[in-house]
Amino acid sequence: MAGVSPATSGTSRQQVVFDTEVDPDWIPFFTESPMELVPTESMPEVCIEHGLPAVEHRPFFVHSNGPHSEWPTLRAMLMSVAPFVQRLPVEATVRFDCPACEFCLAEIRRSRWIAVLALLVVPLTIAGIFTAVSLELRQLYVPLAFAFLPGCMPIALLAATLAWSRSGFFADVWMNQDADQLIVSAHPDFAAAVERNRAETR
């Protein structure tokens, strides 16, 4: 049963629960493919993170095994690609349109600019190395070598990857253990809007 319950994190955020159902447009081609789910009700025109009026809806998804719902961090990114980490199989994926406000869109743009600037460091450093070699500026060889390794490889690339992954983050969401409910850690105004919508449809 979908509902709203206070979050246990000690903050003012609330956990909003949406029931899910199999996407009627989902056609599995392989038996191992994860089940595609969608929420049984639409989300209000309110930003999940900030509680402000939504100005855009952006595609979002979460796997039943996580950790796509978690805020992207360097540690989480490295753990996701580590070969020794045991990963749970994905049983289902919930896809939905996530309401985003102006603050969300500004954060997206900022994260993408950071990613682009981090990537630009790589060709600029390489160009600096070639320039220093061609002009025989030996006093720059060591600083530029450190700027390239580990400066560009891998620090700049990791920073760019992390910033770009954060540009796709819109809400802290996850699925319950039975993979039949979508749980959203939401702003109280979003939770109130959900309750109003449900009250109107009863």
Side-chain angles (χ1 to χ4, degrees), residues 132-151:
V133 171
S134 62
L135 297 179
E136 297 184 355
L137 303 175
R138 300 182 183 277
Q139 66 273 20
L140 297 180
Y141 286 1
V142 174
L144 287 173
F146 278 107
F148 183 76
L149 188 69

Side-chain angles (χ1 to χ4, degrees), residues 8-198:
T8 58
S9 59
T11 66
S12 60
R13 300 186 72 80
Q14 294 181 333
Q15 289 185 2
V16 183
V17 180
F18 293 91
D19 291 332
T20 60
E21 62 184 2
V22 178
D23 187 348
D25 297 328
W26 176 64
I27 302 176
F29 292 99
F30 305 101
T31 56
E32 296 84 4
S33 63
M35 183 181 300
E36 292 280 348
L37 304 174
V38 292
T40 58
E41 60 184 299
S42 59
M43 295 190 177
E45 298 295 314
V46 178
C47 172
I48 293 175
E49 287 296 299
H50 305 100
L52 299 174
V55 296
E56 186 174 327
H57 287 78
R58 303 184 70 87
F60 196 72
F61 70 93
V62 58
H63 295 310
S64 57
N65 69 339
H68 183 81
S69 59
E70 297 177 356
W71 178 258
T73 62
L74 181 59
R75 179 178 179 275
M77 184 175 64
L78 293 176
M79 290 293 290
S80 66
V81 299
F84 55 83
V85 176
Q86 185 176 4
R87 300 173 182 84
L88 296 175
V90 177
E91 297 180 357
T93 299
V94 178
R95 299 186 185 275
F96 61 96
D97 291 329
C98 189
C101 66
E102 290 287 356
F103 281 108
C104 293
L105 300 182
E107 290 173 2
I108 293 169
R109 290 191 293 268
R110 182 172 62 251
S111 296
R112 290 183 176 177
W113 269 112
I114 292 173
V116 171
L117 291 176
L119 285 177
L120 283 177
V121 171
V122 178
L124 290 177
T125 303
I126 294 174
I129 292 174
F130 278 111
T131 302
V133 171
S134 62
L135 297 179
E136 297 184 355
L137 303 175
R138 300 182 183 277
Q139 66 273 20
L140 297 180
Y141 286 1
V142 174
L144 287 173
F146 278 107
F148 183 76
L149 188 69
C152 295
M153 306 287 186
I155 294 177
L157 294 180
L158 285 175
T161 303
L162 180 60
W164 192 266
S165 65
R166 288 189 173 187
S167 71
F169 181 86
F170 302 108
D172 187 12
V173 297
W174 62 95
M175 297 180 69
N176 65 347
Q177 188 173 4
D178 296 329
D180 61 356
Q181 288 183 328
L182 176 70
I183 305 173
V184 180
S185 176
H187 190 281
D189 291 344
F190 176 86
V194 172
E195 283 297 291
R196 287 195 299 268
N197 288 351
R198 290 172 179 172

